Amino acid sequence: MSKARLMQGNEACAEGAIAAGVRFFAGYPITPSTEIAETMAKLLPQYGGKFIQMEDEIGSMGAILGASLAGLKSMDATSGPGFSLKQELIGYAACAEIPCVLVNVQRVGPSTGQPTAPSQADVMQVRWGTHGDHPMIALAPWSVRETYDATVMAVNYSERFRTPVILLMDEIIGHLREKVELPDSVEVYERRKPKKTRAEGYEPYEPDEDLVPNVADFGKGYHIHVTGLLHDATGFPVGSPKVTEESIRRLHEKIARAGDEIIHTEEYFMEDAEYAVVAFGGTARTAYEAVRNAREAGKKVGLLRLMTIWPFADKVIEQLAAKVKGILVAELNYGQVVHEVRRAAQGKCLVELCGKYNMKSFEPKEIEAAIDEMCARRDA
Amino acid sequence: MRKQLRLSGSGGQGVITAAIIFAEAAVAEGKEAAQSQSYGPEARGGASKAEVIIDDAPIYHPHVEQPDIVLAMTQKAADKYYTDLKPDGLLVLDTDLVPEPPDFPNVIRIPITKLAVEQVGKSLFANIVALGAIAHLTGLVNFETVKESVAHRVPPHTVEQNMKALQTGWDAAAKK
Amino acid sequence: MERSYEKYFRQNRLPHLWCPGCGNGIVMKAIVQAIEKEGLNQDNTVIVSGIGCSSRASGYMDFDTLHTAHGRAIPFATGVKLANPELNVIVITGDGDCTAIGGNHFIHGCRRNVDLTVVLFDNNIYGMTGGQASPMTPTGKKATTAPYGSVDRPFNACDLAGAAGATYVARSTAFHVKHLTDMISGGIRNKGFSFIEAVVQCPTAYGRKNKMGSPADMLAWMRDNAVMKAAWDKMPEEQKTSEKFPIGVFLDSSYEDYGNAYEGLIQRIGGKKS
């Protein structure tokens, strides 16, 4: 019998988290991410893990950071206003280098916005939402099956780099049910461990060769200190320009050094393409259909899908811009990724926005029309 | 063989559950399926719309563009959701809850909710009666598979009543 | 004289940053003496603090320590405790940290009865930011944001904790060191959410603004105005002036703690042991 089953994107996220070894989830109900918390509440105790519904969005973020420090892989999921409320502690996780995954199932904003309607307008908030300087990893799945994989990947990256990772979903994928077949097992990155004893001079924030520190879990006898103040290798705050500069640089470089390895993109219909559509998440599926229709009509158009949103796929876009006459960025917002594409394209080709922000997801014909308009303008 | 279905009504009528069961049955038969919905803030009342796409090939754009079948279980849903039906599509209406059928060439009226009350005992089963009718009218999945999907999804103590509801809907559509 | 508690401090992180005459060090010492008294394993004890003067204590204490964000110590501590129930978790917080920005976490921590021991250093003011009014600044007292005396009505944090569901509630002061240590010991022994309010003097901000004299004068004020609970209960109402306040154990009850209840849930549904 086939193991294929109908599954919702939010459920696939929870299943992926369990497979990746997440054993602690704290959350607060918010549409359209709630099914992730509901599924975790059901699954976690079956695996000996723990679920807690906290009193608010900030509390749930705090709880996962505490649980992560005490040794459990931890996750939280939210949407819209909840994501805004968690910003301070996302920054804390970045500064104190605490592995955790935060899922943001995007809905229409600003403010309470349109809770049940799809949007992709949190792209820039994901990158720049907290105060201060730190890098961010954000992954945007485009199918229920990929939501499972992306969640595993997010957990693995959070552990490997000891950093918060955002799973940037949208309502389209979060609430979509489709056929999936889940793997029997997945590759899991185990929590980093100290390489020295206290007697050998262990320092919790001493960077390893990959610039990531091997911070001990609580309760292992290391007596570590964790703080959101900028600190040196000992973990203790130091009010010096040198330590501050080194800390902030290392936070960036530990991710930058991984480089292309964590930047996942996919190309469709790109051979001999003269124009390209760039899209991500649920919108990329509609863009795929639009591009396929355009191809059938004899137009030389391809699709570049971004799965990793942050760090941004600068090199991929630069190469694409050198190859095509124009890039159309289709996104469910007033224009966010388009600015990054324009920056990365460095003026090598025309870059235009196909934006939408009226509660409705794209229809293929809308993107097809935008492709036609761009081609006409460029060729005129 | 892409088929696009839209099941609509008001919140609490169970159209989303019916759509999920239908999609599950298609998946059980190895087909591709994509099911989505839109709804208002109300848990009961308000507009509710569930969509299912069934295909042999992978489904990219996950929402219905032009439905082959629209089911409407309220007048409001009927008026709102039939307009983009394919010209040769089919509009299925609850006879009593849609007293003024929209002007569309191909309409089938089934007293779905009335049948649920009279044959199964509760209006609660109207969505499964509708599912039985839709299963018959589309012929996309085997009746036995739909039965299994219903049995899998509903609370165990209601399986018998749900089977009756499904059969009632199937039979009612067969007579049309 | 042997000072056995010194092993609980990170000697290389001392001296502390608190002002001369500040009461925070007294409470910090009372905490480690209670830890010693209760025989907690140093490797298995975690100190979690928020932000503010009091919360700097975690950095001086030789355990696994977590200096969190402002107001968020209790949620972090909740995560630590649930993730590893073997750990003894002690929370250090202040009146602003716990009852203002962290107020919601405080009452829900009490309600859930997570097995934490929360020690609130109550100096009646925001010390670290230079003396602004907190929700525990008494009405009429001065602060930089209450230059004409505070109009606000203050929280009684012990009443709040008890009403919200904490299973152990006590108060003491920096003057009553032995008593304070006992109060914290009782909190550590209680398996559930324990709350201890420790009244401390802030000579630099609160004391100076309110003309309370030297640190010694402020301690004398505690001596003169704190009333043991047994005496307080018998005290005629007219003697309970606005300055007087009771100290002692206000609540010591028994209710299953959250972590234990959740482990029970895992057992009940046949989940794998965590």
Side-chain angles (χ1 to χ4, degrees):
Chain A
M1 195 183 144
S2 164
K3 287 191 298 172
R5 54 176 163 150
L6 189 77
M7 186 178 277
Q8 192 191 49
N10 282 346
E11 289 168 357
C13 174
E15 294 279 357
I18 295 285
V22 169
R23 290 296 177 269
F24 188 86
F25 184 100
Y28 187 82
I30 187 162
T31 303
S33 73
T34 305
E35 294 86 357
I36 299 173
E38 289 171 341
T39 309
M40 291 305 270
K42 189 175 165 191
L43 292 179
L44 270 173
Q46 295 174 8
Y47 289 85
K50 287 184 182 141
F51 166 90
I52 185 168
Q53 182 172 321
M54 291 297 283
E55 55 276 8
D56 59 33
E57 297 281 2
I58 302 171
S60 60
M61 193 68 202
I64 69 162
L65 297 185
S68 181
L69 287 165
L72 293 188
K73 291 182 180 175
S74 302
M75 188 169 101
D76 182 5
T78 191
S79 301
F83 191 64
S84 294
L85 283 165
K86 291 182 201 292
Q87 293 304 320
E88 183 197 8
L89 293 187
I90 295 171
Y92 187 97
C95 180
E97 298 181 80
I98 304 172
C100 63
V101 171
L102 175 57
V103 187
N104 176 5
V105 186
Q106 295 167 94
R107 67 188 224 186
V108 176
S111 190
T112 312
Q114 298 285 6
T116 61
S119 169
Q120 298 180 310
D122 299 352
V123 174
M124 287 299 167
Q125 186 188 18
V126 162
R127 178 67 190 86
W128 302 109
T130 75
H131 58 279
D133 254 341
H134 63 84
M136 186 49 83
I137 300 176
L139 308 172
W142 77 328
S143 69
V144 174
R145 180 65 179 77
E146 194 182 65
T147 299
Y148 179 90
D149 294 337
T151 309
V152 173
M153 200 181 274
V155 176
N156 285 347
Y157 286 163
S158 79
E159 293 290 335
R160 179 175 151 196
F161 298 107
R162 288 200 64 102
T163 191
V165 175
I166 308 295
L167 187 70
L168 187 61
M169 293 176 66
D170 52 51
E171 194 275 346
I172 300 170
I173 302 304
H175 278 167
L176 179 66
R177 287 184 180 84
E178 61 185 343
K179 187 174 92 175
V180 294
E181 204 165 326
L182 300 182
D184 292 327
S185 66
V186 297
E187 210 167 301
V188 170
Y189 189 96
E190 295 303 338
R191 175 71 56 98
R192 306 171 73 105
K193 289 192 169 59
K195 291 181 174 172
K196 287 180 188 168
T197 62
R198 273 182 101 184
E200 289 164 352
Y202 170 72
E203 290 187 329
Y205 286 90
E206 182 191 354
D208 206 332
E209 284 167 7
D210 59 358
L211 299 183
V212 183
N214 300 307
V215 182
D217 291 337
F218 284 168
K220 303 289 183 197
Y222 286 92
H223 298 198
I224 67 165
H225 185 57
V226 176
T227 177
L229 287 160
L230 282 162
H231 43 268
D232 63 13
T234 66
F236 286 87
V238 181
S240 87
K242 183 170 174 282
V243 167
T244 304
E245 185 181 325
E246 282 173 3
S247 303
I248 293 173
R249 187 189 302 122
R250 185 175 63 74
L251 288 181
H252 283 87
E253 285 186 356
K254 72 176 179 180
I255 308 289
R257 190 176 276 205
D260 298 345
E261 199 192 325
I262 61 170
I263 294 172
H264 307 281
T265 61
E266 280 182 356
E267 293 186 351
Y268 297 93
F269 310 105
M270 278 307 297
E271 59 292 343
D272 80 348
E274 292 177 355
Y275 292 90
V277 177
V278 169
F280 63 97
T283 298
R285 298 170 71 117
T286 308
Y288 179 97
E289 212 147 298
V291 167
R292 191 176 61 190
N293 294 347
R295 276 283 176 181
E296 281 167 11
K299 295 164 198 165
K300 292 187 172 177
V301 187
L303 169 69
L304 173 72
R305 178 176 77 90
L306 306 175
M307 193 262 203
T308 304
I309 302 297
W310 301 110
F312 198 71
D314 283 21
K315 270 190 237 166
V316 178
I317 295 291
E318 192 189 341
Q319 286 161 9
L320 179 70
K323 207 171 99 179
V324 298
K325 295 186 203 169
I327 296 174
L328 182 75
V329 181
E331 50 184 332
L332 279 181
N333 57 45
Y334 198 75
Q336 296 196 11
V337 167
V338 68
H339 299 302
E340 287 299 297
V341 171
R342 228 168 242 150
R343 178 184 59 72
Q346 298 176 37
K348 288 178 181 152
C349 77
L350 181 71
V351 176
E352 292 198 348
L353 168 69
C354 176
K356 191 171 180 180
Y357 37 88
N358 69 348
M359 290 179 77
K360 298 192 184 299
S361 55
F362 281 106
E363 290 179 41
K365 62 186 177 209
E366 293 172 315
I367 299 176
E368 280 174 69
I371 294 169
D372 288 345
E373 279 172 35
M374 178 178 64
C375 297
R377 253 196 303 279
R378 172 61 178 74
D379 295 336
Chain B
M1 67 102 236
R2 169 167 294 208
K3 287 285 176 192
Q4 305 181 66
L5 284 73
R6 180 182 294 147
L7 314 186
S8 64
S10 74
Q13 280 185 315
V15 296
I16 295 175
T17 304
I20 293 169
I21 296 173
F22 195 73
E24 276 179 340
V27 167
E29 292 190 354
K31 295 184 173 67
E32 297 290 336
Q35 187 278 323
S36 62
Q37 63 260 319
S38 70
Y39 51 90
E42 308 91 344
R44 296 289 179 267
S48 179
K49 178 184 78 167
E51 296 182 341
V52 183
I53 303 171
I54 312 274
D55 206 334
D56 291 323
I59 299 162
Y60 286 91
H61 177 64
H63 301 135
V64 165
E65 288 175 82
Q66 251 202 316
D68 296 284
I69 289 195
V70 170
L71 164 78
M73 307 247 304
T74 63
Q75 184 71 49
K76 200 173 153 190
D79 297 340
K80 191 170 175 186
Y81 294 125
Y82 88 99
T83 52
D84 57 350
L85 258 168
K86 286 183 184 166
D88 59 346
L90 177 63
L91 179 60
V92 183
L93 305 173
D94 184 310
T95 313
D96 303 293
L97 299 182
V98 188
E100 294 168 34
D103 181 18
F104 188 74
N106 202 4
V107 176
I108 289 183
R109 301 178 80 195
I110 298 172
I112 296 167
T113 306
K114 196 174 163 204
L115 284 171
V117 174
E118 288 176 357
Q119 304 290 315
V120 199
K122 269 186 192 162
S123 63
L124 192 68
F125 296 101
N127 64 332
I128 304 300
V129 173
L131 177 65
I134 295 291
H136 188 278
L137 294 169
T138 57
L140 285 169
V141 282
N142 290 314
F143 192 44
E144 286 307 311
T145 316
V146 182
K147 277 186 181 172
E148 280 168 31
S149 295
V150 170
H152 184 249
R153 181 60 72 162
V154 300
H157 67 279
T158 66
V159 170
E160 202 179 316
Q161 286 163 297
N162 276 295
M163 287 302 139
K164 195 171 177 196
L166 191 67
Q167 190 71 49
T168 301
W170 177 274
D171 293 344
K175 286 183 208 150
K176 294 286 167 181
Chain C
M1 193 180 120
E2 192 197 351
R3 301 208 290 178
S4 60
Y5 56 83
E6 284 196 354
K7 68 171 182 285
Y8 296 110
F9 292 109
R10 289 167 167 143
Q11 300 296 338
N12 62 341
R13 298 291 156 192
L14 295 167
H16 57 66
L17 55 56
W18 296 314
C19 304
C22 171
N24 286 347
I26 298 172
V27 187
M28 179 168 73
K29 181 186 154 193
I31 291 172
V32 299
Q33 288 193 302
I35 286 171
E36 185 174 38
K37 192 171 150 195
E38 296 306 319
L40 301 190
N41 180 336
Q42 203 167 343
D43 291 345
N44 250 357
T45 300
V46 180
I47 311 291
V48 182
S49 63
I51 293 289
C53 287
S54 60
S55 292
R56 285 303 185 104
S58 59
Y60 308 125
M61 301 169 77
D62 196 9
F63 303 88
D64 283 322
T65 54
L66 175 55
H67 179 228
T68 69
H70 196 25
R72 317 303 170 200
I74 290 171
F76 274 75
T78 299
V80 170
K81 182 67 187 177
L82 295 182
N84 184 354
E86 302 299 313
L87 299 174
N88 310 296
V89 183
I90 295 171
V91 174
I92 292 175
T93 179
D95 42 308
D97 192 60
C98 184
T99 69
I101 193 166
N104 198 32
H105 307 310
F106 175 43
I107 59 174
H108 287 275
C110 294
R111 173 179 66 81
R112 285 191 195 98
N113 198 33
V114 184
D115 186 16
L116 306 174
T117 302
V118 177
V119 184
L120 186 157
F121 293 39
D122 174 20
N123 62 1
N124 310 106
I125 205 142
Y126 286 83
M128 188 148 274
T129 45
Q132 297 74 36
S134 90
M136 293 181 74
T137 302
T139 309
K141 297 291 180 185
K142 288 182 178 168
T144 60
T145 49
Y148 311 109
S150 172
V151 178
D152 284 43
R153 190 160 63 138
F155 267 137
N156 180 327
C158 288
D159 285 356
L160 181 59
T167 43
Y168 177 93
V169 177
R171 181 189 287 128
S172 191
T173 83
F175 175 80
H176 303 80
V177 182
K178 173 72 172 62
H179 179 260
L180 173 62
T181 306
D182 290 344
M183 295 299 101
I184 298 169
S185 278
I188 291 171
R189 280 197 303 275
N190 174 51
K191 190 154 169 53
F193 194 98
S194 304
F195 176 73
I196 301 100
E197 177 188 339
V199 178
V200 297
Q201 73 278 16
C202 169
T204 305
Y206 185 73
R208 200 159 48 94
K209 277 272 172 210
N210 291 289
K211 301 192 169 32
M212 295 185 74
S214 70
D217 292 335
M218 293 183 80
L219 285 164
W221 177 90
M222 291 176 206
R223 178 196 63 201
D224 297 341
N225 287 292
V227 181
M228 289 296 170
K229 185 176 178 296
W232 177 269
D233 290 344
K234 290 181 205 145
M235 206 166 156
E237 285 303 313
E238 65 271 16
Q239 288 179 28
K240 292 179 181 173
T241 62
S242 63
E243 300 275 284
K244 298 273 183 200
F245 60 96
I247 60 172
V249 177
F250 302 125
L251 181 64
D252 192 357
S253 63
S254 164
Y255 190 87
E256 187 176 35
D257 70 281
Y258 188 95
N260 205 49
Y262 202 96
E263 293 291 348
L265 160 78
I266 294 173
Q267 299 289 315
R268 197 169 76 237
I269 66 162
K272 275 190 276 183
K273 181 116 183 70
S274 60

